[in-house]
Amino acid sequence: MTRVLAVTNQKGGVGKTTSAVNLAASLVALGQRVLLVDMDPQGNATMGSGIDKRVAGDTVYPLLLGTAYWESVVKASPGGYDLLPANRQLAGAELDLIELPRREHRLADVLARRRADYDFVLIDCPPSLSLLTINGLCAADAMLIPMQCEYFALEGLSDLVDTLRRIRQNLNPDIGIEGILRTMFDARSTLSRQVAEQLAAHFPGKVFETVIPRSIRLAEAPSHGCAVLHYDRQSTGSRAYLALAAELVSRHAPAGGAGTSKAAA
Ligand code: ATP
Ligand code: MG
């Protein structure tokens, strides 16, 4: 069964894109078939996947509008997963989509025809509750929520719960929380540990066991156009995202369920 996950948090700079790219590559390493959808006009997931957003050709933007074919948009990334790229053109989608029927469900409609080709679809959402994010949330089975364990992270929690409630009420009644992912974690910091405890208290059973440590290698990898796994496999960041991928696979493809997938890279 395909699992579609929106990597989302309205707060900026919490590790959404880093998590989307590194999780995509790590899932591929575990033999999963993966599609990564870049829904952010910043195009960071596109660049971080080794696809130049300036010359990517058709992006997810005309796909949402219905003016491009899937085959002309989807790119095979060097990391072994498929990518629907984005660049700043996508910022225009916000206005164009308003006029269109099913404006919140355009991505869901596109993916409905293709999701069966993948084990996991990851959607990298922008840091706002824009129509692009709403398209991501309407297309997803669940939210994967990166959170930096710092004081202001907790402020964002109520926004997040409110968003989930509104999306469920009005647009996608079945969406759940896949998990909250603690990112840029510093085990030596008391504050990090306190925030982690509060997250667990607010969302019992919804915090991933895997913690993503602060790692300079994770910050460096995008400038090499690849996931950290292909840049420094032994780094703490690489091992953490592999562990997260294993946590997801054991949930959704148990008992060696990579049966339908490509062999591990
Ligand atoms: P935006 O809201 O702008 O889309 P984002 O939530 O996608 O941001 P990222 O772009 O993934 O966040 O990360 C923000 C910055 O933090 C980047 O420079 C990234 O390289 C760095 N970063 C992310 N995770 C880690 C980590 N675990 N250790 C060190 N640096 C990290
Ligand atoms: Mg991002």
Side-chain angles (χ1 to χ4, degrees):
M1 273 283 279
T2 311
R3 191 75 176 156
V4 182
L5 302 175
V7 183
T8 184
N9 186 335
Q10 283 151 254
K11 200 163 157 41
V14 295
K16 293 181 289 295
T17 301
T18 303
S19 297
V21 167
N22 286 289
L23 185 56
S26 300
L27 285 166
V28 168
L30 299 185
Q32 304 295 298
R33 300 167 303 166
V34 180
L35 172 70
L36 174 58
V37 184
D38 191 351
M39 284 295 276
D40 189 340
Q42 294 181 98
N44 292 345
T46 301
M47 295 296 275
S49 295
I51 306 285
D52 190 338
K53 64 182 176 185
R54 292 157 298 191
V55 294
D58 282 344
T59 65
V60 71
Y61 171 66
L63 200 58
L64 294 174
L65 296 185
T67 58
Y69 290 108
W70 175 272
E71 288 75 14
S72 72
V73 174
V74 71
K75 307 281 180 298
S77 80
Y81 51 89
D82 284 351
L83 174 79
L84 298 182
N87 58 29
R88 52 200 286 222
Q89 279 184 344
L90 187 58
E94 201 69 29
L95 281 176
D96 295 335
L97 286 175
I98 285 178
E99 304 291 321
L100 297 179
R102 291 181 61 74
R103 61 185 175 193
E104 297 96 349
H105 299 279
R106 308 292 293 198
L107 181 63
D109 292 346
V110 166
L111 292 183
R113 297 187 286 274
R114 299 289 172 171
R115 58 181 282 162
D117 294 340
Y118 301 97
D119 299 306
F120 287 93
V121 178
L122 304 176
I123 305 168
D124 185 31
C125 296
S128 62
L129 192 53
S130 62
L131 200 43
L132 292 169
T133 299
I134 291 173
N135 263 269
L137 295 176
C138 286
D141 301 315
M143 296 157 82
L144 190 161
I145 305 162
M147 279 226 170
Q148 206 178 336
C149 289
E150 45 146 51
Y151 179 70
F152 291 113
L154 297 173
E155 279 194 345
L157 274 181
S158 51
D159 288 349
L160 211 82
V161 172
D162 192 47
T163 300
L164 184 63
R165 189 180 50 77
R166 281 195 288 163
I167 295 285
R168 272 187 184 149
Q169 255 172 14
N170 302 317
L171 294 164
N172 182 1
D174 299 326
I175 191 169
I177 296 181
E178 182 69 42
I180 294 175
L181 178 64
R182 293 163 288 176
T183 58
M184 300 182 230
F185 193 78
D186 179 358
R188 293 162 306 177
S189 145
T190 311
L191 180 61
S192 271
R193 280 181 276 131
Q194 282 173 347
V195 172
E197 278 165 23
Q198 294 204 27
L199 287 177
H202 275 86
F203 296 96
K206 288 293 180 195
V207 180
F208 284 110
E209 265 177 51
T210 305
V211 175
I212 309 299
R214 187 171 283 283
S215 152
I216 189 74
R217 291 288 192 250
L218 279 169
E220 287 169 355
S223 66
H224 298 265
C226 64
V228 72
L229 177 64
H230 303 292
Y231 169 55
D232 183 353
R233 195 182 177 104
Q234 295 309 322
S235 63
T236 55
S238 169
R239 282 185 276 138
Y241 277 108
L242 278 167
L244 178 66
E247 210 178 325
L248 279 173
V249 170
S250 69
R251 259 185 218 179
H252 297 294
T260 57
S261 309
K262 283 188 286 192

